[in-house]
Amino acid sequence: MSLDLVICALVLVAVQLRISANLLSLRGRVVLAGLVFVWSLLPYPWGPGAWVLSYLAGFSISSGLLAVLAIQHRVAGHYWLPVRELRTACLMLVLMALWFYPMSMGSSYADPYALGFGHFGFSTALLLVGLLAWVMRAYASCLILVAAQCAFGAGLLTSDNLWDYLIDPWLVCWAAGWLLRDRLLRARAMPAPQPSVQPSEAGKDAGGATEAAGQSSATR
C-alpha cells in the first residue's frame, strides 16, 4: 500500500463527507467514512482509489493534509484550522500555481518543474517561505511546506519531484473555488449601505418645517 493510495482515500472520504454530512448523524458519518476509506484502499479493480489514481494521477501531500482537516471538521463539528490561515494557504497555492503551470507548459524558456528534482536553492527558498509563514502565524502554510519537503526527502510518493509533493491541479481548483466562495460569503455578510437623504428631500423637509413654524406663529 503506497502513500499515494492513502492520500487518494482521504480525499475521497472528504468529498463523500462534504456531500452527505448534512444527511447523516455523527455515528452515520463516522461509519460511512470508515467504510469509504477501507473500500478506497482495496487494490485494483475493486477499490475506487486505484481507479481515481489511474485517471487523475496522484495527489499531493498538501491535498492529504487539507483532506484530513476537512474530515476532522465534518466528523468533530469544529474546524481546527482558523479561516484566516486557510485563506492564506489557499491564496499561496493559487499564486504558486499561476506562476508554476504556465511556465512549465512552455510560456517561458525557464522550466520551474526542473527545480523540483532536488535543487538546493529551491528547497532553501521554500524553507525560508515556511519560516516567514511561521513568523506571520500562518501555521497551515508552514505545515504544508515542511510536510511536503520531509515527505520528498523520504521519498514517500511515487514521484521524484518536489512540485508533486506541494501542489496538484485538483488541489488548485479546489483552493480557487474555496477563495471564490469565501469572497461571496464575506460580501453577503457585509451590512447593506444606508440610503442617503437626497438634497431635494432635505429641502422639502426643511420647507415643510418652516411652513409649519409659520402656521404656528400665525395661530398665536
Side-chain angles (χ1 to χ4, degrees), residues 209 211-220:
E211 183 179 355
Q215 292 178 355
S216 177
S217 301
T219 55
R220 291 177 184 175

Side-chain angles (χ1 to χ4, degrees), residues 9-25 28-30 32-33 36 66-75 79 86 174 177-178 181-182 185 188:
L10 291 173
V11 171
L12 292 177
V13 172
V15 172
Q16 170 264 316
L17 287 175
R18 180 65 180 87
I19 296 173
S20 63
N22 297 329
L23 305 175
L24 300 172
S25 63
R29 278 176 279 174
V30 173
L32 185 58
V36 172
L66 292 176
V68 170
L69 291 177
I71 294 170
Q72 180 265 337
H73 169 61
R74 297 296 174 185
V75 171
Y79 210 71
L86 180 59
W174 173 85
W178 189 94
R181 173 180 173 271
D182 177 65
L185 291 178
R188 187 180 302 174

Side-chain angles (χ1 to χ4, degrees), residues 46 119 124 126 162 175 213:
W46 296 282
H119 192 276
T124 304
L126 288 179
L162 179 56

Side-chain angles (χ1 to χ4, degrees), residues 3 61 116 118 123 145-157 159-162 165:
L3 183 60
I61 297 294
S123 299
L145 292 173
V146 173
Q149 296 216 60
C150 291
F152 172 72
L156 298 181
L157 299 182
S159 175
D160 57 350
N161 193 289
L162 179 56
Y165 288 75

